[in-house]
Amino acid sequence: MVSEELDIANKNVPARNDDTGVQYVNELTTLNLGPTHPATHGIFQNILQMDGEKIVSSEQTIGYIHRAFEKISERRPFYQITTLTDRMNYCSSPINNMGWHMTVEKLLGIDIPKRAQYIRVIMMELARIADHIICNGILGVDTGAFTGFLYIYQEREFIYEIYEEMCGARLTTNMGRIGGMERDLSPTAIRKIKEFLARFPKVLREFENLFNRNRIFMDRVVNVGGISAERALNYGFTGPNLRAAGVDYDVRVMNPYSSYQDFEFDIPVGQSGDTYDRFMVRNEEMWQSMRIIQQAMDNLPEGSYYADAPQYYLPPKQEVYKNMEALIYHFKIVMGEIDAPVGEVYHAVEGGNGELGFYLISDGGRAPYRLHFRRPCFIYYQAYPEMCKGLTLSDAIVIMSSMNVIAGELDA
Amino acid sequence: MLTNEEVAQTIIQQFGQSVSDFDDPYDLLTFTADRDQLVPLITYLREHKTLQITFLTDVTAIHYPDTPGKEFCVVYHLHSLVNNFRLRIKVYLSDGNVHVPTITPLYAGANWMERETFDLFGIIFDGHPDLRRILNMEEMDYHPMLKQYPLEDATREDKIDALFGR
């Protein structure tokens, strides 16, 4: 069992000699973390090789909830793919939905009115906050602090109420449409968003007070699972995980979509790329998201909340009951008679975890010829063995938690 | 800022005949490269002083069963974070010879992307350190994203396309 890897992991522990002079080290333990384990927050397996307390090497098995979304997409009209996308990163489904809608809009060449773009921005930033709440809250739980999680989770519940007001659904939302939004912001939705902006800073501040300088928490996360900027880029990290390593790459700034260029916000960056930096970057991003929502609410333009593209935009249901043209378009769109041009599009949005890309190839048919999702989770989870090598099991748990590994996005 | 034209000229000057079919659908520079020039090409783009295309966004493949000699297309998306410039490289393969060199030594992140492409399409990445299935189970003996495997059961008679408006 003597291997180079083991020697590296054991560099603090000198190899022992018995009487005959033969070197030996401890026998390795194989530990299965997952597929279903409370600390994996999803269904995937980590097979850890442990030398005592230390992790020598690890290997991941994924694919337990692989649902063949890319294959299914090849038979589905564009609208029906929306329901697939919000089952990927289910912690922030509006971002996935609208990323997909924007990809199709790019293919079809539809321009969206400003008001619809601003509503999208508000919804996507709310989704980002919800995503970061669950990531940071669960990181607290994994270090043994349940209070912070319970306290901040009620704010996520409040965001769900806003979703509910926008589309009737809470988890698998479907509030966007190709060409705009399904509904305008209702007075209730506006009131709730304003209420959220008023109450969330206080909660977030208290959450930060609970964790940021907490000695027990810092002992668990500082200098744990660090990754250098160079390695992170080499692995294809994006989003908060990359920014924690010190690279200020954000799709919202680099390739602005949906009027993100209109808003002022900062990109928080960390230094060492360790678990603490990832936590702090996500916390800071929640503040920045609130800034964006505040600006969008203040400057919400008047006008239509959907583009004038009746052959693509699914008409409101009330119209369908009363208006013949709306009924015809509704029927054509639902049956997938949408005229898509031939072309290939790559569109990326800044998802909760990083660059969420949609690569769509259309041959002019009713469904994509090929659709590929660039899932940020899938790409950065492969760095996990490198990040937890030589550390203990309890470190491995917080590293996984702080990377925000979401099984739905991992497998697609 | 780099324009598609400039980058295309730089690449043509260096690689000449082995790159072709330059196009920019939706402003994304796209071109075809020969399989044996792929690794030098991606290395060149990474090491180039001004281009600095150092980020691998994505690797995937497409199956075109009706195009003889070009049944498979492996697609690489690259990104220059310094110049904010995206690039798409395509490598066409024929049905009998689905080998393409791996770029794992250049980009560690290519490991799983290539495994996924192998799993779904059966593209073999030569020199890959660990080319196994990733999403499907090991016992599977076919590659599910190929077009000859229709999604719905082709033998079913209760689902006639005409009745469903297809």
Side-chain angles (χ1 to χ4, degrees):
Chain A
M1 279 303 213
V2 180
S3 66
E4 278 183 21
E5 280 186 334
L6 203 58
D7 292 340
I8 295 163
N10 276 337
K11 60 175 179 284
N12 303 328
V13 187
R16 286 166 289 172
N17 292 299
D18 60 11
D19 296 338
T20 55
V22 180
Q23 279 199 343
Y24 69 93
V25 284
N26 301 329
E27 198 176 322
L28 296 187
T29 315
T30 305
L31 189 74
N32 278 296
L33 180 61
T36 46
H37 185 279
T40 58
H41 310 297
I43 309 172
F44 43 85
Q45 187 182 22
N46 293 299
I47 305 164
L48 307 172
Q49 296 289 333
M50 314 268 303
D51 174 29
E53 275 276 300
K54 278 188 178 162
I55 296 166
V56 177
S57 68
S58 64
E59 197 198 323
Q60 308 105 309
T61 318
I62 68 166
Y64 286 96
I65 64 161
H66 174 48
R67 294 147 295 176
F69 281 173
E70 291 178 11
K71 187 77 181 173
I72 295 172
S73 307
E74 291 179 3
R75 287 288 289 216
R76 286 203 175 193
F78 294 111
Y79 265 111
Q80 293 184 13
I81 294 171
T82 315
T83 52
L84 300 179
T85 58
D86 58 30
R87 279 153 182 82
M88 286 201 299
N89 188 344
Y90 36 73
C91 292
S92 52
S93 21
I95 302 183
N96 298 26
N97 289 164
M98 288 170 196
W100 163 245
H101 290 142
M102 279 183 259
T103 312
V104 179
E105 281 156 12
K106 206 167 169 181
L107 177 77
L108 301 173
I110 305 175
D111 284 327
I112 308 300
K114 270 283 184 206
R115 186 177 177 87
Q117 293 186 356
Y118 274 51
I119 299 175
R120 277 186 179 179
V121 166
I122 294 168
M123 287 302 144
M124 284 193 283
E125 292 307 318
L126 284 173
R128 193 181 318 284
I129 292 175
D131 193 284
H132 289 350
I133 283 178
I134 198 162
C135 180
N136 278 353
I138 289 287
L139 179 61
V141 174
D142 284 340
T143 55
F146 200 38
T147 319
F149 167 71
L150 280 184
Y151 185 54
I152 201 163
Y153 210 73
Q154 62 187 353
E155 298 308 308
R156 189 179 148 84
E157 191 64 26
F158 198 81
I159 293 175
Y160 275 2
E161 279 179 30
I162 298 170
Y163 291 173
E164 212 173 353
E165 189 55 40
M166 287 301 290
C167 66
R170 288 158 59 85
L171 187 70
T172 52
T173 58
N174 199 352
M175 62 181 86
R177 290 281 182 266
I178 296 165
M181 299 296 292
E182 186 207 359
R183 317 175 188 174
D184 205 350
L185 284 176
S186 66
T188 322
I190 291 176
R191 180 174 58 75
K192 288 209 163 177
I193 293 168
K194 282 184 176 156
E195 193 186 332
F196 176 77
L197 288 173
R199 61 188 263 175
F200 188 60
K202 180 173 156 286
V203 178
L204 185 55
R205 183 79 64 205
E206 262 188 276
F207 181 78
E208 286 187 333
N209 288 344
L210 187 61
F211 283 106
N212 282 8
R213 305 301 299 170
N214 183 326
R215 180 63 203 268
I216 302 168
F217 181 72
M218 287 178 83
D219 278 352
R220 287 289 302 275
V221 295
V222 174
N223 286 331
V224 169
I227 187 161
S228 67
E230 190 197 358
R231 284 306 287 165
L233 282 171
N234 200 264
Y235 267 116
F237 273 38
T238 44
N241 293 343
L242 178 66
R243 289 193 282 273
V247 183
D248 62 341
Y249 171 53
D250 190 320
V251 186
R252 290 175 292 176
V253 179
M254 287 281 255
N255 302 91
Y257 52 91
S258 231
S259 297
Y260 265 110
Q261 67 276 10
D262 294 2
F263 304 108
E264 253 183 50
F265 61 99
D266 300 323
I267 311 175
V269 287
Q271 284 173 341
S272 58
D274 64 2
T275 305
Y276 186 64
D277 277 5
R278 283 192 282 275
F279 177 83
M280 295 299 278
V281 164
R282 283 204 171 83
N283 265 350
E284 186 55 35
E285 271 188 31
M286 286 196 253
W287 291 108
Q288 299 301 331
S289 290
M290 270 190 290
R291 260 177 85 185
I292 297 172
I293 298 170
Q294 186 69 58
Q295 289 172 50
M297 290 299 286
D298 289 347
N299 307 320
L300 195 63
E302 292 297 316
S304 173
Y305 60 96
Y306 57 89
D308 183 22
Q311 64 273 44
Y312 304 123
Y313 177 77
L314 198 63
K317 203 69 180 174
Q318 294 88 333
E319 288 287 303
V320 176
Y321 291 136
K322 289 183 291 192
N323 186 333
M324 191 63 207
E325 275 72 34
L327 179 64
I328 292 170
Y329 283 127
H330 180 90
F331 186 77
K332 279 174 82 84
I333 291 168
V334 169
M335 295 315 272
E337 302 287 308
I338 197 166
D339 292 324
V342 179
E344 55 180 321
V345 182
Y346 179 81
H347 184 75
V349 294
E350 179 74 26
N353 274 331
E355 180 175 332
L356 177 71
F358 297 86
Y359 180 43
L360 166 68
I361 293 178
S362 164
D363 62 347
R366 62 193 290 272
Y369 185 79
R370 168 96 173 96
L371 177 62
H372 178 72
F373 305 108
R374 185 219 191 259
R375 292 107 60 198
C377 247
F378 177 75
I379 288 160
Y380 63 61
Y381 187 46
Q382 52 188 316
Y384 183 64
E386 188 177 311
M387 289 163 81
C388 63
K389 196 171 183 174
L391 300 172
T392 61
L393 181 62
S394 55
D395 294 334
I397 301 281
V398 295
I399 294 168
M400 193 196 307
S401 195
S402 70
M403 282 165 83
N404 200 12
V405 181
I406 291 173
E409 197 176 67
L410 197 61
D411 288 351
Chain B
M1 283 294 117
L2 296 172
T3 61
N4 287 348
E5 196 77 8
E6 285 169 18
V7 179
Q9 285 307 325
T10 319
I11 293 167
I12 291 171
Q13 272 175 16
Q14 183 71 18
F15 288 90
Q17 295 297 314
S18 52
V19 286
S20 56
D21 294 343
F22 282 84
D23 194 7
D24 51 350
Y26 301 93
D27 292 332
L28 192 71
L29 180 64
T30 304
F31 61 92
T32 307
D34 283 358
R35 165 192 357 218
D36 45 344
Q37 287 296 314
L38 179 72
V39 175
L41 174 66
I42 291 179
T43 317
Y44 173 77
L45 293 173
R46 191 165 87 148
E47 308 295 335
H48 196 281
K49 286 282 185 294
T50 48
L51 299 184
Q52 298 190 47
I53 300 175
T54 54
F55 188 82
L56 178 71
T57 304
D58 200 16
V59 178
T60 188
I62 315 159
H63 188 209
Y64 295 109
D66 301 330
T67 325
K70 288 181 168 184
E71 276 89 356
F72 290 97
C73 174
V74 185
V75 185
Y76 297 84
H77 281 96
L78 297 165
H79 194 171
S80 165
L81 298 183
V82 179
N83 300 307
N84 191 16
F85 182 84
R86 285 180 196 267
L87 182 75
R88 182 187 292 141
I89 302 172
K90 290 183 168 184
V91 178
Y92 284 97
L93 309 171
S94 67
D95 206 353
N97 186 3
V98 289
H99 291 266
V100 72
T102 181
I103 54 166
T104 316
L106 296 168
Y107 293 105
N111 192 322
W112 279 20
M113 303 179 200
E114 289 180 349
R115 273 179 74 183
E116 188 193 29
T117 311
F118 164 73
D119 186 356
L120 299 178
F121 288 90
I123 310 282
I124 295 166
F125 291 90
D126 292 327
H128 190 283
D130 184 26
L131 196 62
R132 286 181 294 127
R133 287 182 177 275
I134 185 162
L135 292 174
N136 294 304
M137 53 187 185
E138 286 286 329
E139 294 78 32
M140 224 166 149
D141 56 354
Y142 58 97
H143 300 285
M145 280 297 280
L146 301 182
K147 290 280 179 187
Q148 65 258 39
Y149 304 115
L151 186 65
E152 290 165 18
D153 185 0
T155 59
R156 275 180 73 172
E157 289 176 355
D158 56 334
K159 283 188 130 184
I160 306 164
D161 271 1
L163 299 180
F164 289 87
R166 299 181 239 210

